[in-house]
């Protein structure tokens, strides 16, 4: 996320009025793209998309089917499922990162999108943190403790790791709730594939 | 604070901060699993919740250990996340134990869901304190790489921190190269090392929870 390019939100929604409303709410802060059904949504989906707002009930490909194909492509985008009713299923077991029940209010939509973006940031910080820890472990495995004590590189690395650890616990408040926890784990498994 | 010193007699384990995650490392057959269970049953005797994430042991065996060790163990005090991927559990034989089956030790999302449900169940039963044991990271490392296991441990530690639980994770120190061990250690607040003592028996020391490693002490 640079200062120049706003995050990209892709809205997949078959009702034009509803899609327009979401767009109006979001367009000041985000680059908004719109797809009017599941097929078009999958076509428009690429690595530049940060968050997908996906309607569950659509003619043609359903939201669930689209979600499955997004998962197969492992693009690293976050998906918020939009449902007509409060879901009665176990949301943790589903593959999406957040859900919203219609009707959606503006504030709610903003909160959801920004939470999902923060979660993506957490993922990349965790990746960066791992890279530092691995580097430190390599130094520790190859150098004697006397050499490590003299090494400025090792000192700097140790400091960076401490800083990054604090940063991680501040982002998302660490892992604040169950859906953050599960979505983060789901992201780990996706990275691996 | 959690007092682990009645299981392992170290001053450093007397006041373990809620949210701490501890790695329990030692060679094969050094009793790490038993030690992890002992830490949980000790808490269960005081009414704390217990969650066991198991890659090797069946829910039935674990429930048996807890019932033997803690005769007063009540319903909704023990949760088991069974990652052996063998399915099929006779729920009647495990009255009061929450069991969640996961398809494999590499299914991190499934393990996370099981842990979440177990902690939630214990919480709803009024158990606001609890201890989690994961046995073992070594098995998980045969299913997935060290990067993923490291991240998993970090994220799970954050979740335990939010729940005010403590976590104990076992690893077979002889099964991995030193770089892997070094990386995994970094995901934890502290380390308990177990080894065979030269004079026979076992000894342990504690690192990371105090400034300096403790001396080795006979178990």
């Amino acid at each position: 996320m640079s200062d120049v390019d706003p995050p990209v939100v892709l809205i997949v929604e078959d009702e034009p009025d509803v899609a327009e409303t979401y767009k109006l709410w979001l367009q000041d802060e985000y680059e908004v793209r719109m797809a009017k059904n599941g097929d078009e949504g999958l076509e428009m989906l690429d690595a530049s998309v940060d968050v997908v707002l996906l309607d569950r009930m659509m003619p043609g490909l359903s939201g669930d089917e689209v979600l499955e194909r997004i998962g197969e492509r492992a693009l690293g985008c976050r998906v918020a499922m939009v449902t007509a009713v409060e879901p009665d299923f176990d949301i943790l077991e589903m593959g999406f990162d957040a859900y919203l029940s219609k009707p959606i209010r503006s504030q709610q939509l903003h909160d959801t999108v920004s939470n999902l973006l923060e979660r993506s940031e957490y993922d990349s910080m965790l990746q960066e943190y791992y890279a530092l820890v691995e580097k430190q472990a390599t130094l520790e495995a190859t150098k004697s403790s006397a050499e490590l004590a003299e090494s400025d590189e090792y000192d700097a690395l140790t400091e960076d790791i401490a800083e990054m650890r604090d940063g991680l616990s501040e982002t998302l408040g660490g892992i604040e709730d169950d859906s953050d926890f599960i979505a983060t784990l789901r992201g780990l498994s996706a990275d691996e594939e | 604070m959690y007092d682990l010193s009645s299981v392992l007699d170290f001053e450093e384990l007397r006041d373990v901060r809620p949210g701490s995650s501890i790695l329990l490392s030692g060679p094969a057959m050094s009793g790490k699993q038993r030690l992890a269970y002992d830490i949980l049953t000790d808490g269960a005797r005081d009414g704390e919740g217990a969650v066991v994430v198991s890659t090797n042991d069946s829910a039935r065996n674990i429930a048996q250990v807890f019932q033997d060790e803690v005769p007063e163990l009540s319903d909704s005090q023990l949760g088991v996340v069974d990652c052996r991927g063998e399915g099929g559990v006779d729920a009647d034989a495990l009255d009061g134990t929450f069991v969640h089956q996961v398809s494999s030790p590499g299914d991190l999302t499934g393990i996370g869901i099981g842990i979440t449900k177990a902690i939630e169940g214990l919480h709803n039963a009024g158990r606001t304190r609890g201890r989690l044991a994961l046995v073992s990271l070594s098995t998980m490392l045969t299913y997935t790489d060290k990067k993923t296991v490291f991240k998993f441990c970090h994220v799970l530690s954050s979740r335990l921190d939010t729940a005010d639980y403590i976590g104990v994770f076992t690893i077979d120190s002889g099964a991995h190269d030193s770089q892997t061990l070094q990386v995994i250690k970094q995901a934890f607040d502290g380390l308990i090392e177990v080894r065979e003592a030269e004079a026979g028996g076992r000894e342990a020391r504690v690192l990371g929870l105090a400034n300096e490693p403790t001396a080795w002490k006979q178990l």
Side-chain angles (χ1 to χ4, degrees):
Chain A
M1 259 187 289
S2 73
D3 292 338
V4 201
D5 297 322
V8 176
V9 179
L10 173 63
I11 299 169
V12 186
E13 167 65 67
D14 62 304
E15 292 174 64
D17 295 353
V18 176
E20 275 301 330
T21 309
Y22 298 162
K23 186 183 179 186
L24 264 176
W25 286 340
L26 295 174
Q27 65 189 5
D28 287 345
E29 276 181 69
Y30 306 107
E31 180 187 333
V32 180
R33 300 174 190 168
M34 295 202 286
K36 55 184 181 298
N37 58 47
D39 282 311
E40 203 176 290
L42 287 171
E43 256 169 55
M44 292 175 71
L45 190 66
D46 56 34
S48 67
V49 175
D50 298 293
V51 172
V52 181
L53 208 58
L54 181 61
D55 190 31
R56 189 149 193 245
M57 296 280 282
M58 290 182 293
L61 277 184
S62 74
D64 289 339
E65 288 166 315
V66 175
L67 180 67
E68 206 182 313
R69 300 208 192 162
I70 293 175
E72 285 163 7
R73 285 166 65 180
L75 285 168
C77 61
R78 295 289 179 182
V79 181
M81 188 73 94
V82 181
T83 59
V85 287
E86 195 73 28
D88 54 358
F89 42 80
D90 190 339
I91 57 156
L92 293 180
E93 311 242 10
M94 307 294 287
F96 49 76
D97 303 302
Y99 77 91
L100 290 156
S101 328
K102 287 181 175 178
I104 301 170
R105 284 165 294 111
S106 167
Q107 188 59 47
Q108 204 183 358
L109 186 58
H110 274 281
D111 289 350
T112 301
V113 172
S114 70
N115 180 271
L116 291 180
L117 289 169
E118 205 180 16
R119 204 177 278 167
S120 297
E121 196 192 328
Y122 182 92
D123 290 353
S124 41
M125 282 173 77
L126 191 55
Q127 176 60 38
E128 220 176 306
Y129 180 55
Y130 174 77
L132 294 176
V133 165
E134 197 186 28
K135 206 166 155 190
Q136 188 189 42
T138 307
L139 286 180
E140 284 168 348
T142 51
K143 289 187 191 301
S144 69
S145 39
E147 284 173 316
L148 290 177
E150 301 246 308
S151 164
D152 292 342
E153 187 195 4
Y154 185 75
D155 265 0
L157 205 51
T158 308
E159 217 166 278
D160 287 349
I161 286 172
E163 207 171 290
M164 188 66 93
R165 190 186 294 132
D166 293 345
L168 273 166
S169 58
E170 278 158 25
T171 309
L172 281 177
I175 295 289
E176 250 172 11
D177 60 24
D178 292 340
S179 60
D180 280 337
F181 176 52
I182 300 302
T184 307
L185 293 182
R186 190 175 288 124
L188 297 188
S189 312
D191 286 351
E192 198 193 351
E193 280 159 16
Chain B
M1 293 293 172
Y2 288 88
D3 184 359
L4 275 52
S5 64
S6 48
V7 179
L8 282 159
D9 186 20
F10 286 94
E11 196 52 40
E12 291 73 13
L13 296 177
R14 196 170 296 282
D15 289 308
V16 179
R17 190 184 59 79
S20 303
S21 290
I22 299 167
L23 186 65
L24 186 52
S25 163
M29 310 301 288
S30 56
K32 300 181 294 295
Q33 170 171 319
R34 187 63 207 200
L35 214 43
Y37 289 175
D38 286 348
I39 289 172
L40 265 60
T41 51
D42 193 52
R45 268 181 223 112
D46 294 333
E48 289 173 11
V51 177
V52 179
V53 182
S54 170
T55 60
N56 313 316
D57 211 357
S58 73
R60 187 189 300 267
N61 281 345
I62 295 164
Q64 194 59 54
V65 169
F66 275 73
Q67 278 154 9
D68 291 348
E69 289 294 321
V70 193
E72 68 273 29
L73 189 80
S74 51
D75 283 0
S76 46
Q77 198 174 354
L78 171 66
V80 177
V81 181
D82 176 358
C83 320
R84 294 172 308 144
E86 291 179 9
V89 61
D90 185 0
D92 292 340
L94 294 172
D95 48 8
T97 302
F98 167 85
V99 181
H100 183 88
Q101 307 272 350
V102 180
S103 62
S104 106
D107 178 5
L108 305 183
T109 312
I111 294 172
I113 289 170
I115 292 171
T116 298
K117 288 184 172 173
I119 291 180
E120 193 180 56
L122 295 173
H123 214 268
N124 290 344
R127 302 190 192 278
T128 51
R129 286 165 59 88
R131 307 179 183 195
L132 175 142
L134 188 151
V135 184
S136 80
L137 289 175
S138 293
T139 310
M140 284 182 78
L141 279 162
T142 63
Y143 284 80
T144 183
D145 59 22
K146 68 173 185 291
K147 177 174 83 175
T148 309
V149 172
F150 170 84
K151 289 181 180 179
F152 173 80
C153 291
H154 184 90
V155 172
L156 177 52
S157 301
S158 303
R159 181 66 188 85
L160 294 178
D161 196 14
T162 313
D164 279 343
Y165 268 49
I166 56 161
V168 186
F169 299 64
T170 68
I171 193 162
D172 179 349
S173 52
H176 314 284
D177 59 60
S178 64
Q179 207 234 14
T180 300
L181 288 171
Q182 202 57 41
V183 163
I184 299 296
K185 274 180 206 169
Q186 282 286 348
F188 294 91
D189 303 298
L191 171 66
I192 299 172
E193 279 182 352
V194 185
R195 70 177 184 191
E196 304 291 333
E198 273 174 33
R202 292 177 301 156
E203 53 187 10
R205 65 171 179 171
V206 179
L207 299 90
L209 293 168
N211 289 332
E212 293 293 319
T214 67
W216 289 94
K217 203 184 256 190
Q218 190 81 20
L219 290 183

